[in-house]
Amino acid sequence: MTLRIAEIFGPTIQGEGALIGEPTVFVRAGGCDYRCSWCDSLHAVESRYRHSWATMTSETVWEQVRRLSGDRPLTVSLSGGNPAIQDFGSLIAMGRAAGYRFACETQGSVARPWFADLDTLVLSPKPPSSGEEVDWDAFDACRNLGVGARQQVMKIVIFDETDYQWARDVHARHSDLPLYLQPGNTEVNPAAPVDLQALADRLGWLIGKALADGWFAPRILPQLHVLIWGNKRGV
Ligand SMILES: C[S@@+](CC[C@H](N)C(=O)[O-])C[C@H]1O[C@@H](n2cnc3c(N)ncnc32)[C@H](O)[C@@H]1O
Ligand SMILES: Nc1nc2[nH]cc(C(=O)O)c2c(=O)[nH]1
Ligand code: SF4
Ligand SMILES: [Mg+2]
């Protein structure tokens, strides 16, 4: 199976959501069916970056993961782009046979049988500020295949009041999925410094809102990697 890969890096720590702080190697797939207005990973999305993506076999990807992790099993994080537009089934099978765990981040627009072989499926439906519209039938199909995964969680990025209300509606319809919220990062240029105080202020705003509303269901987290390394790539 050949895969279009934008980058493979690590070990680092998972900076977002349910596995925050966990050591991991990232495999970032090239290509996405969405164009979120605020995407922080456009180098893995837009075709003008295609020349920097590598066509690799699953075996070669697996060799790199093993090399980066020193053959010590850890969690491999599949991200992108949308990893679900490709077939990661054989990479997952090879890794699991060696005791590695797999997590996948996807917007929930394309369902794949290999979701069932994951340890963690992170579904991240996109709020209005992204400019994308969620296909809820496709999202449900992802949920159904993800039932086989060890855990399935939802992560929503919040930029403004409209996104917040939207997240509350989505949670009301999917209240069985553990929910993680993270404030959006408005500065995604890897060369630009991030304003840590502005990030903290947006996190404080989001936490304050949920607490004031008595909405105690979500865990609300910063992007830990952004606090440490800013918008640097490959970390
Ligand atoms: C780059 S995406 C790749 C995986 C998949 N396409 C998705 O969106 O779930 C990984 C995660 O980063 C989040 N993300 C992207 N841009 C962001 C930004 N500017 N601020 C906060 N989170 C962002 C996405 O919502 C998603 O949860
Ligand atoms: N450390 C770290 N954590 C992350 N969590 C989600 C990421 C992503 O871009 O998918 C990401 C990333 O790029 N780096
Ligand atoms: S779905 Fe994910 S990778 Fe694709 S454009 Fe949106 S945030 Fe970026
Ligand atoms: Mg990211």
Side-chain angles (χ1 to χ4, degrees):
M1 182 54 57
T2 60
L3 296 163
R4 241 175 14 251
I5 301 296
E7 52 184 354
I8 303 176
F9 61 89
T12 179
I13 46 99
Q14 170 56 259
E16 303 178 11
L19 302 181
I20 192 164
E22 179 161 326
T24 188
V25 166
F26 274 86
V27 175
R28 193 183 297 284
C32 191
D33 46 326
Y34 276 18
R35 291 293 181 276
C36 300
S37 59
W38 37 251
C39 180
D40 63 8
S41 303
L42 283 177
H43 61 297
V45 170
E46 293 190 339
S47 41
R48 66 189 158 107
Y49 296 106
R50 246 190 137 84
H51 65 275
S52 68
W53 305 346
T55 304
M56 301 172 75
T57 62
S58 301
E59 286 77 9
T60 312
V61 174
W62 169 231
E63 275 163 28
Q64 290 217 23
V65 170
R66 282 182 48 197
R67 186 177 54 77
L68 289 171
S69 60
D71 272 325
R72 283 181 288 273
L74 46 48
T75 294
V76 178
S77 298
L78 307 177
S79 188
N82 186 2
I85 62 181
Q86 303 192 56
D87 185 357
F88 280 93
S90 47
L91 174 65
I92 294 170
M94 285 185 277
R96 284 177 69 107
Y100 285 63
R101 298 172 298 278
F102 283 81
C104 176
E105 312 234 351
T106 181
Q107 59 265 45
S109 58
V110 180
R112 285 283 179 180
W114 51 261
F115 287 176
D117 303 326
L118 293 166
D119 293 276
T120 305
L121 176 63
V122 182
L123 293 172
S124 185
K126 296 298 175 262
S129 63
S130 69
E132 289 290 345
E133 199 163 332
V134 176
D135 172 348
W136 291 107
D137 291 334
F139 188 83
D140 288 342
C142 291
R143 285 207 55 173
N144 289 337
L145 287 168
V147 164
R150 199 176 59 74
Q151 64 169 340
Q152 193 173 183
V153 300
M154 184 155 65
K155 178 173 71 179
I156 301 181
V157 174
I158 309 285
F159 274 82
D160 55 26
E161 175 70 35
T162 308
D163 288 353
Y164 174 82
Q165 291 303 337
W166 183 90
R168 291 207 64 165
D169 289 350
V170 171
H171 172 70
R173 288 183 279 116
H174 295 276
S175 55
D176 55 318
L177 281 182
L179 176 63
Y180 295 81
L181 300 181
Q182 70 189 28
N185 178 5
T186 52
E187 179 55 77
V188 294
N189 175 358
V194 294
D195 182 342
L196 288 178
Q197 189 56 54
L199 287 178
D201 289 347
R202 277 198 298 282
L203 180 62
W205 167 79
L206 184 53
I207 290 173
K209 250 187 113 46
L211 296 183
D213 286 350
W215 188 32
F216 302 140
R219 292 196 180 190
I220 306 173
L221 295 170
Q223 290 176 290
L224 185 54
H225 55 112
V226 177
L227 297 185
I228 304 167
W229 297 298
N231 291 322
K232 198 171 156 209
R233 293 203 176 130
V235 289

